[in-house]
Amino acid sequence: MSEFEQRYFEDPNYPPGLKGGDEVRGYGYYPDYFPIVEAQLSALVELTSGASLVDIGCGKGALAAYMRQDLGLRVIGTDLSAYAVGHARRAQGGEDTVRAACTHLPLGDGTVDLGWCNGVLQYLEAEAARAALAEMARVSSLAVFCSNIAAAQRQTEWGKRDRLTRLYLRPGQWAQLAQEQARGEDWTVVALPFEGESAILFYRAARLGKVFPLRFVELALERMRRLGALTRSPPGLDAFYRRA
Ligand SMILES: C[S@@+](CC[C@H](N)C(=O)[O-])C[C@H]1O[C@@H](n2cnc3c(N)ncnc32)[C@H](O)[C@@H]1O
């Protein structure tokens, strides 16, 4: 059995780490996190006009439910956990949820507009993470957002007790890994400056334009601010603007 079964999702003390959220509005254990994700996701959809999305490592499907109901997306959910997939499939519209490892997605090349993967790759060994990044690029046609635990979390009390996380990488390190996997496929990968997580964005510049990452970050931050989820500008924002 994988480590990601009932106890992982339902016991707030096992093991310390990011949970898969509840079924109502996502991130039941971390309600303050939901508006951040809501801002990122809605900005991604608005700026790409994407209509379909694969939620890789979708957990119990809380976010996929939001994507379907509030954003009108056609969503395929995938997760390794039988417990999580069972939950996600029972939700309205959740029948398109399948049990699959993120290293082997059961989808054809470019079959969805957007890829989304939040809080999953940190649990993999580096080789498997590379394979998963290649899979995201393979199945998506416009853009992929992938966010993982922040490298700095390793030093926290919480991080010291987390037995599951294998990869604590900075955004630039994730972006480099991803760019190596997506090479030759016309993808550009950028490290994103969002504070408290290690997020990257893959995008097809030929279709979305070179300023897409900049617009995405600006819109997502503006939405976070509006939703009360941003208390200060991310420390890495100036450097991001200089690079962009
Ligand atoms: C922290 S939760 C994140 C869930 C969801 N993405 C969210 O943002 O609420 C991590 C999820 O990754 C899934 N997972 C772990 N290893 C996986 C793998 N190798 N392939 C697919 N899913 C995996 C777990 O079952 C769990 O649902």
Side-chain angles (χ1 to χ4, degrees):
M1 195 196 282
S2 94
E3 306 238 36
F4 301 94
E5 299 303 329
Q6 182 160 359
R7 222 176 145 199
Y8 171 81
F9 288 100
E10 308 305 345
D11 180 350
N13 300 312
Y14 170 84
L18 189 65
K19 300 284 175 179
D22 65 18
E23 301 87 30
V24 184
R25 201 62 186 160
Y27 305 110
Y29 296 100
Y30 299 96
D32 295 350
Y33 186 42
F34 189 78
I36 293 174
V37 176
E38 184 179 354
Q40 292 165 332
L41 187 47
S42 64
L44 182 72
V45 172
E46 182 171 321
L47 294 177
T48 58
S49 302
S52 57
L53 178 147
V54 58
D55 185 359
I56 301 159
C58 63
K60 287 162 66 183
L63 206 57
Y66 160 74
M67 295 172 188
R68 292 187 187 101
Q69 287 156 22
D70 290 39
L71 303 179
L73 285 174
R74 185 171 65 77
V75 182
I76 298 167
T78 68
D79 202 284
L80 187 61
S81 161
Y83 179 79
V85 168
H87 264 269
R89 285 182 64 82
R90 285 195 290 278
Q92 197 185 352
E95 47 286 340
D96 283 344
T97 312
V98 288
R99 188 166 183 217
C102 55
T103 47
H104 296 89
L105 295 177
L107 297 172
D109 297 0
T111 46
V112 285
D113 297 330
L114 303 172
W116 180 271
C117 185
N118 192 21
V120 180
L121 298 197
Q122 64 216 22
Y123 297 130
L124 275 56
E125 301 293 348
E127 214 34 56
R130 281 196 188 90
L133 291 162
E135 281 292 83
M136 290 170 204
R138 182 183 66 76
V139 303
S140 311
S141 65
L142 277 178
V144 180
F145 177 87
C146 177
S147 176
N148 289 295
I149 202 162
Q153 292 286 0
R154 185 177 213 159
Q155 313 307 333
T156 63
E157 280 311 306
W158 178 85
K160 285 179 194 152
R161 285 181 290 129
D162 181 356
R163 293 184 293 103
L164 291 183
T165 300
R166 307 262 183 280
L167 291 174
Y168 285 98
L169 303 182
R170 292 189 298 279
Q173 295 172 307
W174 279 115
Q176 192 181 336
L177 268 192
Q179 190 70 72
E180 285 161 12
Q181 301 314 309
R183 198 177 284 151
E185 290 190 56
D186 186 28
W187 285 108
T188 303
V189 186
V190 295
L192 298 171
F194 300 123
E195 194 172 2
E197 63 186 318
S198 201
I200 59 173
L201 183 70
F202 303 51
Y203 70 107
R204 300 239 196 232
R207 299 197 43 196
L208 296 171
K210 282 198 166 27
V211 292
F212 169 67
L214 199 70
R215 293 176 65 216
F216 169 68
V217 167
E218 280 178 340
L219 186 58
L221 290 176
E222 181 194 313
R223 289 196 174 158
M224 285 178 206
R225 203 168 283 122
R226 189 164 45 76
L227 291 164
L230 195 71
T231 48
R232 62 171 186 167
S233 269
L237 191 60
D238 286 344
F240 173 78
Y241 283 143
R242 280 196 299 276
R243 282 195 304 274

